[in-house]
Amino acid sequence: MSRPELTGRAAAWALARYAPKVFAIGASFIVVWWTLPVVLGLLLQRVFDRIADGQDVASALTSLTVVELVRMALLYAFIAVWVRWWVTALTLLRGNLLRAQLASGGDEAGPPVSGSGAAITVFRNDVEDLVLYLDTWLDVAGTTGFAVAALAIMLRVDARVTLVVIVPLLVAFAVNVALADRLRAYRRADREATAVVTGFLGALFSAVLAVKVAGAERASLARLHRSNVVRGQTAVRDRVLAESVEALSGSTVDLSIGLVLLLASGAMRSGAFTVGDLALFITYLPWLAALPRWAGRLLTRQRHAEVGVSRMTQLVPPAAPGDVVAHRSLRLDPHAPTAPRARPASEAPADVRLRAVGHTYPGGGGVHAIDLQLPPGSFTVLCGPVGSGKTTLLQALLGLLTPSEGTVEWNGRAVPDRAAHMVPPRAAYLAQVPRLFSATLGENVLLGVETPEQEAAEVLHRAAFETDFRRLNDGLATMIGPRGVRLSGGQVQRAATARALAGDAALLVLDDLSSALDAHTERTLWSRLLDDRRHPTCLVVSHRAAALERADQIVLLEAGRVRAVGTLDELRSRGLDPLATPAT
């Protein structure tokens, strides 16, 4: 079954209907602004004819001034209205894309973006291209209205001169049409090259330490240089073609004015063409040239918008490309109160069963046919050598890897969509490398949940963070910097652990959370977590004694399969010592 498509025109039309009143008012202002020069030309014709006849021109000049003032007022009114619509449209598009990317499974979840560079390009450039395309339609509508009225007037004055001077304008439009497909191809190549550069820069900055340890500074710079060369070539090619088309459209004005002067000279000697007629033609020609110029821009921006829409639809559910422009309520008032997020109702510790669960990577490797029982409130530890599949198994269980094999049962019922199901309050996950936001400690731990400060402090206590917390002058309001840069590695892990604990999940999945903790802090953390009478079902990755000694069962993985299951004493009695297994 082929994937439904969303065209640039369909997306722009849906966007125009989102705030129809604001859009219609702004469109009316700009269309009238474009068509008023028809009146200006007629007034100038009258002024110059009266001057030639020696008549009074005061009334005509007054009318001319009034029309110009009206045009200025319309332009300011359009800007005031249109800026609001522009911001609303951008917010709607970016909100829809972000909603699809943040959805954890279900019908609203979109495929994950390929990288940070691609995300920046789509959320910034592609979104703006679609809004700009719709914006250009208004200018084309205005210039078309002006051109129809102006040409009708010019044909009545002198049909021969009128027909001759519009030829360069038609040529410019034809060139725009002929180059439209090439403009789209050049823009797509430029966007893809830009995504490669920005994505590599993001990855480079997040792995500075790894680059230094490996001594890969020169190699990294060489790769960045190669990517930048390609981006430079695509950007120059895209810009040169676009500017060339724009310059061609602009040059038609000078050519048309020259033709008017040549053709009108003979007609003026015979009296068939007046000074006022010349003024009218010279006034109209620059505005007439705007029509092929804006029509060319429309074709160019349509190609750009089609590229942008096709890239945006890759981030929303494949079966629902219309989610890119889905109408949703927006809160744009920065002073409006934000309703706090209520804490979801907690569930009893879960009974989880994995039946033949697995995931195979395209290049080989992964986990295969894992059968595992996690009784309610149990503490299960995964261990095994590097590459044995511990993290892969956790992610397959949580639905973070697709496609995944086998079945996961939750309290005796099969889970059809793991990604949608394994979210708070059912499940909480702490990845091997925790991610914190550039926000306050409280915002990172609670994620917007309305919780009394005493309860927040209790969560930090369970995560063995209370001593560090007391040293923070601003408490929960302490800014921790980008990705928690103001915290140590152990503090980052414990803050992320507190975040996982804050939701009172029925299943807690932790991937080597104690790797940056000292032995005393680690034992304190496990003690506080497991000594609670109602602690959740826990599945953790660890090679540390503090965890293995308290495990209800230890699952030893090897080459993606279960080698043995049992307590620490049981495994040792079989000649298997998890404490001797190489750490991750």
Side-chain angles (χ1 to χ4, degrees):
M1 181 177 179
S2 61
R3 178 189 180 112
E5 292 186 3
L6 177 67
T7 65
R9 289 182 181 179
W13 175 236
L15 202 58
R17 301 196 310 272
Y18 176 66
K21 290 184 179 179
V22 178
F23 183 84
I25 292 172
S28 301
F29 285 159
I30 196 63
V31 169
V32 174
W33 181 85
W34 272 113
T35 54
L36 274 180
V38 171
V39 181
L40 289 177
L42 293 172
L43 290 173
L44 283 171
Q45 180 190 41
R46 183 180 180 186
V47 167
F48 279 96
D49 281 341
R50 286 195 170 194
I51 291 175
D53 295 339
Q55 299 179 23
D56 178 55
V57 297
S59 61
L61 289 176
T62 301
S63 300
L64 191 66
T65 302
V66 170
V67 172
E68 272 298 301
L69 291 175
V70 170
R71 288 186 69 245
M72 291 177 61
L74 282 171
L75 183 60
Y76 284 120
F78 167 75
I79 293 173
V81 173
W82 201 244
V83 166
R84 178 175 179 81
W85 182 88
W86 184 279
V87 173
T88 300
L90 292 177
T91 304
L92 176 69
L93 293 172
R94 288 169 178 156
N96 286 341
L97 296 178
L98 189 61
R99 183 188 185 96
Q101 287 297 294
L102 293 180
S104 182
D107 296 336
E108 294 185 344
V113 66
S114 59
S116 58
I120 292 172
T121 302
V122 173
F123 276 78
R124 182 184 62 193
N125 304 106
D126 293 334
V127 165
E128 290 178 353
D129 277 349
L130 178 57
V131 179
L132 189 60
Y133 168 56
L134 182 56
D135 177 83
T136 307
W137 265 109
L138 303 187
D139 294 298
V140 171
T143 53
T144 300
F146 168 82
V148 171
L151 287 173
I153 295 171
M154 293 168 67
L155 286 170
R156 291 180 59 185
V157 173
D158 194 310
R160 182 175 64 93
V161 176
T162 302
L163 293 174
V164 171
V165 298
I166 65 173
V167 171
L169 306 180
L170 295 175
V171 171
F173 179 72
V175 171
N176 276 280
V177 173
L179 294 176
D181 288 337
R182 183 166 295 184
L183 285 165
R184 178 173 60 179
Y186 285 2
R187 174 53 59 97
R188 180 183 291 276
D190 181 48
R191 288 291 163 82
E192 291 175 351
T194 301
V196 170
V197 173
T198 53
F200 181 71
L201 280 174
L204 190 63
F205 279 113
S206 63
V208 170
L209 183 59
V211 171
K212 289 182 177 180
V213 170
E217 294 92 337
R218 290 182 180 275
S220 299
L221 290 174
R223 177 172 175 177
L224 180 61
H225 174 71
R226 290 193 300 270
S227 300
N228 261 321
V229 169
V230 174
R231 179 178 180 271
Q233 293 171 344
T234 58
V236 168
R237 188 173 58 181
D238 178 48
R239 178 61 63 182
V240 167
L241 183 60
E243 292 295 335
S244 298
V245 172
E246 185 77 12
L248 175 63
S249 300
S251 65
T252 58
V253 177
D254 298 330
L255 180 59
S256 297
I257 291 175
L259 291 173
V260 168
L261 294 175
L262 287 174
L263 296 172
S265 58
M268 291 180 70
R269 282 195 298 269
S270 65
F273 202 83
T274 67
V275 176
D277 295 336
L278 179 62
L280 182 141
F281 270 68
I282 297 301
T283 301
Y284 283 175
L285 279 175
W287 294 96
L288 281 173
L291 176 57
R293 185 166 63 249
W294 279 105
R297 288 178 181 173
L298 180 64
L299 291 173
T300 301
R301 289 172 180 173
Q302 179 181 347
R303 298 306 188 273
H304 293 172
E306 288 172 352
V307 172
V309 169
S310 68
R311 289 163 58 87
M312 285 189 280
T313 55
Q314 301 302 313
L315 305 187
V316 299
D323 282 3
V324 170
V325 287
H327 293 183
R328 308 180 194 278
S329 62
L330 299 176
R331 186 185 297 275
L332 296 179
D333 184 359
H335 304 293
T338 302
R341 188 167 66 93
R343 172 187 287 186
S346 58
E347 296 187 5
D351 181 4
V352 182
R353 178 69 184 265
L354 287 70
R355 297 183 184 275
V357 169
H359 175 80
T360 303
Y361 294 105
V367 292
H368 314 282
I370 302 296
D371 288 311
L372 185 61
Q373 177 76 37
L374 306 178
S378 62
F379 182 55
T380 301
V381 178
L382 293 178
C383 61
V386 174
S388 59
K390 301 180 294 296
T391 297
T392 300
L393 177 57
L394 298 187
Q395 294 178 345
L397 164 66
L398 297 170
L400 301 179
L401 296 176
T402 54
S404 292
E405 307 157 4
T407 304
V408 173
E409 295 180 359
W410 182 275
N411 292 335
R413 294 184 178 182
V415 178
D417 188 339
R418 299 178 205 170
H421 183 89
M422 299 295 188
V423 295
R426 288 184 288 272
Y429 173 53
L430 177 62
Q432 196 170 30
V433 180
R435 297 288 185 180
L436 298 182
F437 300 101
S438 180
T440 66
L441 175 63
E443 289 170 328
N444 271 280
V445 172
L446 303 176
L447 296 180
V449 173
E450 185 179 23
T451 301
E453 187 169 342
Q454 182 179 355
E455 292 186 16
E458 174 60 25
V459 171
L460 292 171
H461 175 80
R462 292 175 63 195
F465 198 86
E466 76 285 354
T467 302
D468 306 81
F469 180 65
R470 286 195 293 267
R471 295 171 182 165
L472 301 177
N473 294 330
D474 296 328
L476 293 173
T478 301
M479 293 295 300
I480 63 174
R483 299 187 180 183
V485 69
R486 296 183 62 185
L487 304 179
S488 68
Q491 288 174 329
V492 167
Q493 283 192 321
R494 281 175 286 147
T497 302
R499 179 170 63 195
L501 295 174
D504 288 332
L507 172 66
L508 190 61
V509 180
L510 309 173
D511 194 350
D512 204 18
L513 76 88
S514 58
S515 60
L517 304 183
D518 60 77
H520 174 71
T521 302
E522 181 188 8
R523 289 187 179 278
T524 301
L525 190 152
W526 290 124
S527 175
R528 291 177 180 175
L529 174 63
L530 300 176
D531 288 346
D532 188 336
R533 268 186 318 111
R534 195 176 168 276
H535 74 74
T537 304
C538 296
L539 177 62
V540 307
V541 171
S542 181
H543 291 82
R544 307 280 289 268
L548 293 169
E549 291 171 353
R550 302 199 59 155
D552 296 313
Q553 61 177 345
I554 300 170
V555 180
L556 185 59
L557 294 181
E558 187 174 287
R561 299 183 182 276
V562 175
R563 182 182 179 187
V565 178
T567 64
L568 182 59
D569 291 337
E570 290 171 346
L571 292 178
R572 283 174 170 173
S573 67
R574 296 160 57 183
L576 301 172
D577 189 355
L579 291 174
T581 303
T584 54

